[in-house]
Amino acid sequence: MATRAGAGAVVAGAAVVALLSAALALYGPPLDAVLRRAFSLHKPHSITDMENTLQLVRNIIPPLTTKKHKGQDGRIGIVGGCQEYTGAPYFAAISALKVGADLSHVFCTREAAPVIKSYSPELIVHPVLDSPSAVRDVETWLPRLHALVVGPGLGRDNVLLENVKGILEASKARDVPIIIDADGLWLIAQHPALIHGYRKAVLTPNHGEFTRLSDAVLRDLVNGSDHREAVRRLSQALGNVTVVRKGERDVMSDGEHVLECAHEGSSRRCGGQGDLMSGALGVLVHWALHASPEKTNGSSPLLLAALGACSLTRQCSHQAFQKHGRSTTTTDMIAEVGPAFRRLFET
Ligand SMILES: NC(=O)C1=CN([C@@H]2O[C@H](COP(=O)(O)OP(=O)(O)OC[C@H]3O[C@@H](n4cnc5c(N)ncnc54)[C@H](OP(=O)(O)O)[C@@H]3O)[C@@H](O)[C@H]2O)[C@@H](O)CC1
Ligand SMILES: Nc1ncnc2c1ncn2[C@@H]1O[C@H](COP(=O)(O)OP(=O)(O)OP(=O)(O)O)[C@@H](O)[C@H]1O
Ligand SMILES: [Mg+2]
């Protein structure tokens, strides 16, 4: 997949998308065939491939209508937020809202709660994560949640991690989609069985987290430079949970298919960009799993959601960097979520 060259290419790309979308709808091959052709292992990619696949992502986005009630477009829960880290769960939760979720809940420790609340009146904050009744407290909300993002700003305190184990088990029992990031991945590296084979799970490791997971789960080493094969193998070893390895290129796999996202982002590597991505992914996973089969046409909804979240995060980074350069922070990227979403998916 090639990188966009600039604003001109974006406009040209949008025109290509419009034409392709009409062509795909009328005469195109099954969407899954498009996906396989564009992103099958070891094939060169083109801007057209990228645009074809983004078109699949567009298909899962629910229409904005006056016929829906509050909550239908997404009630997302974030599990994280402790004494050290309050920014990460905030970034994930506000990003979910900015992408289009209706309600965003944060389940954090007692002392983190007032801090996170003070960042934004839009978030619903539950100070329960260090309570002896944490699992029951979160479980009460699970029937009302469409996806759970576990890990941003969670920290590695053993009491919290024990509670998160219980929350993961309760979420699986209720078939709630789970995105696992940051310290949630630390927990999975210690206890891979917690997520093994759960087909509604997406793991979003950065470079270090990916290495830690691979060391914990894979018996024999994969050639370190072959990211696509490494991600596919890790997904398989975890029972085909979807794995998204973030980096210069984002590589994602369900153990069978492999997609790559090299959409133009920026050279700014400030903390929090992964948190934005995980919150966005929470919403897109919900939308993808609720899209009718004709919309996804047999393609993996979780891979489409992952590609959408990666492209969106990188587009936010690109736009924010154009305005702020070296001083770009994640807050600047969050301000770009709306315009970036429109540019990628609604033009
Ligand atoms: N504002 C907030 O509240 C934020 C809070 N956050 C929260 O912080 C918690 C810990 O998360 P974390 O990502 O800092 O993780 P951790 O596993 O300790 O890794 C640290 C070490 O790994 C390495 N390393 C990392 N990436 C690498 C790469 N691409 N390529 C190569 N190396 C890489 C790197 O090693 P070094 O450069 O030091 O050698 C680094 O020191 C978690 O809860 C998270 O959500 C963040 O979300 C940010 C915003
Ligand atoms: N070298 C890179 N070039 C371009 N984009 C990158 C690069 N590395 C990461 N990204 C993008 O930044 C986003 C966050 O990835 P990153 O590896 O920074 O996550 P993280 O370390 O978990 O972030 P956080 O600080 O939120 O924990 C991803 O969507 C990815 O596409
Ligand atoms: Mg992270």
Side-chain angles (χ1 to χ4, degrees):
M1 195 185 322
T3 301
R4 286 188 174 191
V10 170
V11 174
V16 171
V17 169
L19 286 171
L20 276 171
S21 86
L24 276 173
L26 291 172
Y27 312 110
L31 297 181
D32 189 46
V34 175
L35 191 61
R36 281 164 199 261
R37 197 178 61 226
F39 294 99
S40 60
L41 280 167
H42 309 300
K43 277 198 163 181
H45 305 304
S46 68
I47 286 179
T48 311
D49 290 338
M50 172 68 170
E51 299 297 358
N52 281 350
T53 312
L54 281 182
Q55 181 55 40
L56 302 183
V57 178
R58 290 169 173 218
N59 286 350
I60 66 168
I61 296 167
L64 288 167
T65 81
T66 54
K67 306 291 177 211
K68 287 192 231 169
H69 61 258
K70 179 181 62 186
Q72 271 183 290
D73 275 347
R75 293 183 293 266
I76 309 301
I78 313 293
V79 177
C82 62
Q83 189 181 25
E84 293 91 344
Y85 308 121
T86 52
Y90 162 77
F91 289 144
I94 199 78
S95 299
L97 284 177
K98 292 288 182 188
V99 167
D102 291 334
L103 294 164
S104 206
H105 295 254
V106 178
F107 300 94
C108 59
T109 63
R110 176 158 291 280
E111 59 187 335
V115 181
I116 298 171
K117 282 179 207 269
S118 75
Y119 296 151
S120 168
E122 337 233 25
L123 306 180
I124 300 164
V125 183
H126 307 265
V128 299
L129 212 49
D130 49 351
S131 145
S133 60
V135 178
R136 261 179 293 124
D137 292 340
V138 177
E139 214 170 1
T140 315
W141 285 93
L142 284 180
R144 282 171 273 179
L145 296 180
H146 295 119
L148 208 58
V149 182
V150 177
L154 174 62
R156 293 176 191 171
D157 177 272
N158 279 334
V159 172
L160 296 191
L161 294 180
E162 277 306 312
N163 288 339
V164 171
K165 279 188 196 173
I167 292 167
L168 288 175
E169 295 295 1
S171 305
K172 286 193 296 180
R174 290 188 173 273
D175 215 26
V176 175
I178 306 171
I179 291 85
I180 305 191
D181 188 29
D183 300 311
L185 296 169
W186 165 266
L187 178 65
I188 297 302
Q190 321 297 314
H191 306 281
L194 278 171
I195 209 68
H196 189 279
Y198 187 56
R199 298 301 284 263
K200 288 193 179 173
V202 186
L203 311 190
T204 56
N206 63 19
H207 174 86
E209 291 155 350
F210 185 87
T211 305
R212 194 183 297 127
L213 278 171
S214 295
D215 288 349
V217 169
L218 293 176
R219 279 204 200 91
D220 45 326
L221 289 176
V222 185
N223 172 4
S225 63
D226 189 350
H227 285 193
R228 299 170 70 99
E229 180 60 4
V231 174
R232 197 180 63 80
R233 287 269 308 281
L234 180 61
S235 169
Q236 272 184 354
L238 287 166
N240 294 90
V241 304
T242 297
V243 175
V244 183
R245 177 186 185 155
K246 299 171 290 190
E248 189 173 353
R249 287 163 169 265
D250 299 323
V251 181
M252 56 216 85
S253 177
D254 58 0
E256 197 181 339
H257 306 292
V258 183
L259 303 190
E260 234 178 82
C261 179
H263 190 79
E264 187 171 9
S266 81
S267 301
R268 186 74 174 108
R269 301 270 65 80
C270 58
Q273 299 184 44
D275 305 318
L276 189 165
M277 206 277 262
S278 65
L281 184 55
V283 190
L284 287 164
V285 161
H286 164 53
W287 291 350
L289 289 171
H290 280 75
S292 62
E294 314 88 68
K295 295 273 171 75
T296 52
N297 200 27
S299 300
S300 157
L302 297 189
L303 280 182
L304 289 181
L307 185 73
C310 290
S311 309
L312 181 65
T313 305
R314 296 169 83 103
Q315 181 69 24
C316 290
S317 170
H318 182 65
Q319 291 180 194
F321 189 79
Q322 283 184 324
K323 291 183 186 166
H324 306 283
R326 195 180 285 274
S327 80
T328 301
T329 60
T330 299
T331 302
D332 301 320
M333 287 174 57
I334 287 166
E336 297 297 329
V337 168
F341 190 97
R342 274 197 298 282
R343 182 151 222 175
L344 274 180
F345 304 129
E346 293 179 325
T347 49

